[in-house]
Structures are given as C-alpha cells and as structure tokens.
Amino acid sequence: MPYAFSYFIPTRVFFGKDCLNNNYATLSSLGEKALIISGRKSAKACGAYDETVEVLNKLNIESVLYDQIEENPSFSSVQKAVEFGLENDADFVIGIGGGSPIDAAKAVAVLIANPFMKIEDLFDGDFDIALPIVAIPTTSGTGSEVTEFSVLNSPENRKKSFKSDVIFPDISFIDPKYTLNLSSELTITTACDALSHSIEGSLSLKSTILTDLYAAKAIELIKENLPKLVNSSSVLSEEEKYECRQALSLASMLGGMVISQTGTVLPHSFGYNMTTFYGLRHGVATIIFLPSVLRKAEKTNPEKLGIFKDSFKSVDKFDDFLEKLGVYKNIPKLSEKDLVDFSQFVAKSMHVSVTPGNITYEDIISIYKEVCG
C-alpha cells in the first residue's frame, strides 16, 4: 500500500517527572514577563504553579497570574485575561491546568499580540501572530498541549473552536506528578477524552499511517491503566500509581498528536451540547456516543475499525468497558426541542464529512434517542 501524508507539530515537548525543573532554561528565550493563565485552584493544589514561578524567578523573568478561567472558558473570562495581560505588559503566556486554561491561554496569546482584534475575530482565522505559548497540563485528557486548537464558550453558551498553527504551544512540560491526586471522576472523564481522541482519530477519513501508530499506543495505554486507577478494589503502590498516571499522561499527549493531524469526528459534535446545556463533563459527553458511531462506521467502512479492534476486539466489548467505568450513569433525557436543535447542530458540523458511515440527519436523531432516550 502506498503512503502519502504530511505531518506538522512545532511544539517542543519535555515529558517526565520534574521535566520543568530539569529543562526550565528553555523558557529564557520566550520573553521577559509571563502571563500565567490557570483555573482557580488546581494549578496551585498540584504544585505546578509554585514550581513555575520558582523557575521563572531563577531566570529573572517576572510573572503575573490570572486564575479565573472556568471549566469551558467563556469569552468574558478570556477578555479579562487579555486586558490583564496588556495592563501588565506580558510578552508570553503560560497555561497551567486542564484543557480549559490551556485553550484560554492560546486565545489570550493571539489577542494580546493582535490588540485590535475582538474575540469573535478568532473564529475567522485572520491572524498570523501570537505571543509565545507554554503549556503545563495538570490533567490527562485534552491533548491541548500539542494541538493547534482552542475551544471557548460563546455568550450563547455554544462551544466554538478555532485553529491556527501559531497557537501550537512553543513548549510543553508534561509531568505526570501533577496528576497524581486527581479525583476518580476527573480521571475518568479526562481519560475518556484522550481515548475518544485516539479512537476518533483512527476512525477519521483523514487518518494516516503515522496517526494510526500514535492512536494505537494511546488506546492500549488507556485500556490497560485507567481501570487500575479507578477500580475501588485495586490497591496500588505509589510506584504503580505513578506508572499508571504516566501512562495516561503519555496517552493524552499521543491523542493530542493524533487529532492535531486528523481532527475529531462526530462523537465530539454529539457531545458539545450535552456539556454546555446539560452539564456533562466533556470526556464523558463525547465517549457515550462513540459506540453508536463505531457501529455505523463498521457497516460501511469496517477496515476503519482495525486500530480500535486491535485493543477492544469489538464494539460490544468496548461498551462493556465503558459500562464498568460508569460513564452511562445519569445520562439526561433530551427534550423534543433539544433533540431537534442538537441534531441540526451536529448535521451542520464539519465532523460529518470526515466520519465514515454515511451518517444522515435521521441517523443523528436516532443516535441521540439511543443514547439519551
């Protein structure tokens, strides 16, 4: 089989325990004053914020903190962070946290570098510069530390994404120790996000031999390690716990590398409104629709399930895996209005064209009823 593909990720990645402390000199060329973007608690609770400030001080780099980014970052919080960064003359941005602070940091980096832009202009893609961006993930799910995507919540409570090569982080420090004390709930939903990225990337009509290799490894790592961390009967030593967390951090990064090339497919479109209007966490809101989409794809493009089946063997066994994780608990039932509105939203999404299965509007309605009925 002939292979033809392109591959581009300009992010310099440092991975492993104490990778920030061991490689902080790489920050010296990025600027003189850092704007640190985080949520309200997690960056400090896991130690990442203190370690970041410590290494910046060693380099005589000033820093200021904006720590008001919420889960699913809003336009308003991003705008406040931009104004704060401009007031403080920040010349590079560090995002510490899960996908929300890192995605917000990407948006802020563009808007500070282009001060005449409005937030809405981000989605036109009419910009070609951003401040340097550093990503320090404290969860293992979004892969935003190695992607050119940013997802924000609009005033209409809709998820809106934009992409640009200039928002690939310049440097990412991925230290599994920052994830050691994540709750089971957050561990599951973030790992489900990474698993969705990897399976969806392999399913995508844009997949390549290289993205399939990354996806296969990420799927294997999550399948083998996630149950160990969240199984109440599993007693792990500190070393075993770290190894599992390391595996999930690696899987998150690999999943991000996959979707940086392929993008995601329909389960993400299905899940967006479940998050914004019903409060389901993103990873769970996405993965609950994956079995239905896999079954549709299996009928028309069975070869696209090859990577997936190497690990899970069948969609039914994957369903069992998700059932044991508890992701199907408390799935809300949609109103008739939401069923129609959400289905129209999904049908108009770009995900339709890259998802195998020839999925129609009627199929979308049917899948929503199957999962949320």
Side-chain angles (χ1 to χ4, degrees), residues 72-112:
N72 307 308
S74 65
F75 281 24
S76 61
S77 66
V78 168
Q79 184 60 48
K80 289 175 183 176
V82 170
E83 293 167 1
F84 182 70
L86 288 168
E87 289 168 2
N88 285 278
D89 297 318
D91 53 8
F92 71 106
V93 180
I94 302 175
I96 305 177
S100 293
I102 295 174
D103 281 3
K106 293 175 178 181
V108 169
V110 174
L111 293 169
I112 291 179

Side-chain angles (χ1 to χ4, degrees), residues 42-55:
S42 62
K44 292 179 179 178
C46 71
Y49 171 72
D50 287 343
E51 289 193 359
T52 300
V53 173
E54 182 180 339
V55 299

Side-chain angles (χ1 to χ4, degrees), residues 194-204 215 219 258 265 287 290 294 304 307-308 312 318:
L195 186 55
S196 293
H197 290 163
S198 304
I199 295 174
E200 289 181 44
S202 68
L203 194 63
S204 172
I219 294 166
V258 170
V265 296
I287 209 163
L290 191 47
L294 284 165
K304 293 298 293 178
I307 299 297
F308 162 78
F312 283 103
F318 180 55

Side-chain angles (χ1 to χ4, degrees), residues 233-283:
S233 65
S234 179
V235 179
L236 301 177
S237 67
E238 289 303 309
E239 181 180 359
E240 290 169 331
K241 182 180 177 182
Y242 179 83
E243 288 177 356
C244 288
R245 292 292 181 185
Q246 176 178 260
L248 295 188
S249 292
L250 181 57
S252 175
M253 181 197 74
L254 291 172
M257 289 178 170
V258 170
I259 63 168
S260 73
Q261 312 301 307
T262 66
T264 53
V265 296
L266 272 174
H268 266 69
S269 282
F270 275 105
Y272 283 151
N273 287 322
M274 301 301 294
T275 295
T276 54
F277 291 100
Y278 284 86
L280 282 187
R281 287 186 179 271
H282 171 66

